Amino acid sequence: MAQDFYELLGVSRDASDVEIKKAYRKLAQKYHPDKHSGSKEQEEKFKLINEAYDALKDPGRRAQYDRFGSVSGPAGGGGGGYQDSGYGSDFQDLFSEVFSDFFGGGGGPGRGGPRRPAPERGADLHYELEIDFEEAAFGCEKQINVQRTVNCETCRGSGAKAGTQPETCTTCGGRGQVAFQQGFLQIARTCNACHGRGAVIKEACADCRGHGKVRRTRDMGVKIPAGVDTGSRLRLMTEGDFGTRGGPPGDLYVSIFVKEHSIFSREENDVICEVPISFTAAALGTELEVPTLEGPVKLKVPAGTQSGKIFRLKHKGIASVRSGRRGDEQVVITVETPTKLTSEQRELLLQFAEVSGEESTPLHRNFFSKVKDLFE
């Protein structure tokens, strides 16, 4: 039984889009294949996490999953593709074939027998690309190597030896199907002689061994727009496998994985930067030089600043992929308590404690006042 997508991401069924995205980002970083080289178990876990996020991040697919337990409709078909119809194209094709067979086979009423093999679209390809935090923030261009199935250059996709051509199948007359009578029905089935291709190859091409297709590695540049995040997916149309019998190529989907940064983290389009300061600087106030994606800027920290205080630097965050509008940088102050005090430092702190009144620690006073009221 397939594992529940919500359980895979560790979120509740009423989790918000933001909660789902945060959970996915955390798990994707944990189980990314680059961190577990050669581990099939970790690789499989990573694929399942991506499948779950792909289903739950889209409102339509999520609604379909919540209703039917899958993203392929109540018929339960595989493939993960979302369909508005509850039955899907397979049922419609089957109905069409049976209906046409009843009236004379294959091509519908009056078409005179089985139809010729139709062109087929090539398969989609998937590529996982890891980029740096800054590359995700500002956009970049990356070179990738993709293996795809293309038409054989020697035989130009025919599968036949150079100088020859495939010959029309004499068994099915080039239709790829043969018809036979069963009672008052005429039924079509795939031709055994040509395996549905409508043609036979007498002498196969030496390079592709008669398949008409070969695997080739292609170097290509991919433009990454500013603002992408872990889980973003780029679609490069017609960059997938070549089609069959003149069908169009599939697409290439590039899934983005953003490396963790040593200083910055991300929350939607805001950049988060935690800055530690001494308790004396927090008490007396200070001026800091804080890092941003575009270089350091000066920040005034007023006297009496508490740990956890957030200062917002406008438009120093990450641009939205859709609108281009930049988020902010949130500078989170962390007041550091000193450790390994010298005897002199300890003596001075004791003196400070003796002369300090409650007015210098209002949070402490208010908290214990509430505690006192609670137990009276």
Side-chain angles (χ1 to χ4, degrees), residues 205-221:
C205 171
D207 289 340
C208 67
R209 298 181 181 180
H211 296 292
K213 298 282 193 296
V214 291
R215 296 287 287 176
R216 291 286 184 265
T217 299
R218 180 187 177 192
D219 296 332
M220 59 185 299

Side-chain angles (χ1 to χ4, degrees), residues 59-373:
R61 289 166 64 85
R62 182 178 179 181
Q64 185 81 353
Y65 179 77
D66 288 343
R67 185 177 180 187
F68 301 114
S70 72
V71 289
S72 55
Y82 176 71
Q83 301 170 340
D84 291 333
S85 166
Y87 295 98
S89 59
D90 290 343
F91 178 83
Q92 295 170 9
D93 291 344
L94 177 62
F95 180 82
S96 176
E97 290 176 10
V98 172
F99 189 82
S100 63
D101 288 341
F102 184 80
F103 285 96
R111 296 190 184 180
R115 60 180 179 270
R116 292 180 179 273
E120 293 182 7
R121 180 178 179 274
D124 292 335
L125 300 178
H126 299 269
Y127 188 94
E128 293 175 2
L129 178 62
E130 187 176 60
I131 61 176
D132 293 329
F133 193 92
E134 290 86 354
E135 290 175 328
F138 296 113
C140 61
E141 183 166 343
K142 306 290 284 187
Q143 291 294 126
I144 64 174
N145 306 104
V146 180
Q147 273 204 342
R148 65 193 303 216
T149 299
V150 299
N151 289 336
C152 175
E153 296 177 359
T154 303
C155 65
R156 297 182 180 181
S158 71
K161 182 180 178 181
T164 68
Q165 290 293 329
E167 300 178 6
T168 300
C169 177
T170 56
T171 303
C172 65
R175 294 183 176 89
Q177 293 180 324
V178 292
F180 63 95
Q181 201 75 24
Q182 185 169 339
F184 63 91
L185 294 177
Q186 187 181 33
I187 299 175
R189 60 174 174 80
T190 301
C191 176
N192 290 329
C194 66
H195 304 289
R197 291 189 292 266
V200 292
I201 298 172
K202 296 295 185 181
E203 293 185 82
C205 171
D207 289 340
C208 67
R209 298 181 181 180
H211 296 292
K213 298 282 193 296
V214 291
R215 296 287 287 176
R216 291 286 184 265
T217 299
R218 180 187 177 192
D219 296 332
M220 59 185 299
V222 179
K223 289 186 176 181
I224 310 299
V228 296
D229 198 1
T230 295
S232 298
R233 191 169 69 164
L234 308 179
R235 179 188 181 191
L236 305 181
M237 298 181 65
T238 71
E239 296 294 347
D241 285 344
F242 276 39
T244 303
R245 295 185 291 275
D251 299 330
L252 170 63
Y253 289 92
V254 180
S255 297
I256 302 297
F257 177 79
V258 182
K259 297 178 185 176
E260 291 184 8
H261 197 277
S262 59
I263 295 175
F264 302 120
S265 59
R266 179 174 179 174
E267 187 173 300
E268 295 301 303
N269 292 324
D270 283 356
V271 170
I272 313 298
C273 182
E274 294 187 4
V275 179
I277 64 174
S278 67
F279 85 102
T280 52
L284 301 175
T286 187
E287 186 175 74
L288 301 174
E289 194 172 68
V290 298
T292 73
L293 290 172
E294 297 167 306
V297 299
K298 291 190 179 299
L299 174 69
K300 288 186 177 181
V301 178
T305 294
Q306 301 298 311
S307 190
K309 172 69 177 178
I310 297 175
F311 296 93
R312 190 175 289 270
L313 303 178
K314 291 291 186 180
H315 312 306
K316 292 294 184 180
I318 296 173
S320 167
V321 175
R322 295 183 179 180
S323 68
R325 183 177 180 180
R326 289 188 65 173
D328 303 329
E329 177 172 329
Q330 298 181 33
V331 180
V332 183
I333 298 297
T334 302
V335 179
E336 186 175 15
T337 303
T339 59
K340 298 181 179 179
L341 297 172
T342 65
S343 57
E344 182 180 3
Q345 290 171 332
R346 180 178 178 80
E347 182 62 31
L348 290 172
L349 284 176
L350 287 172
Q351 293 178 24
F352 173 76
E354 289 177 0
V355 299
S356 296
E358 290 188 345
E359 63 277 0
S360 64
T361 55
L363 295 178
H364 177 275
R365 182 184 69 237
N366 291 339
F367 175 77
F368 283 99
S369 177
K370 292 177 182 178
V371 171
K372 182 179 179 182
D373 293 340

Side-chain angles (χ1 to χ4, degrees), residues 4-24 27 52 56-57 62 65-66:
D4 184 87
F5 285 166
Y6 291 99
E7 289 183 2
L8 272 170
L9 297 181
V11 297
S12 62
R13 300 190 75 85
D14 58 354
S16 66
D17 293 343
V18 174
E19 290 172 330
I20 290 173
K21 187 174 184 179
K22 283 184 177 179
Y24 167 73
L27 291 171
L56 298 184
K57 71 177 181 179
R62 182 178 179 181
Y65 179 77
D66 288 343

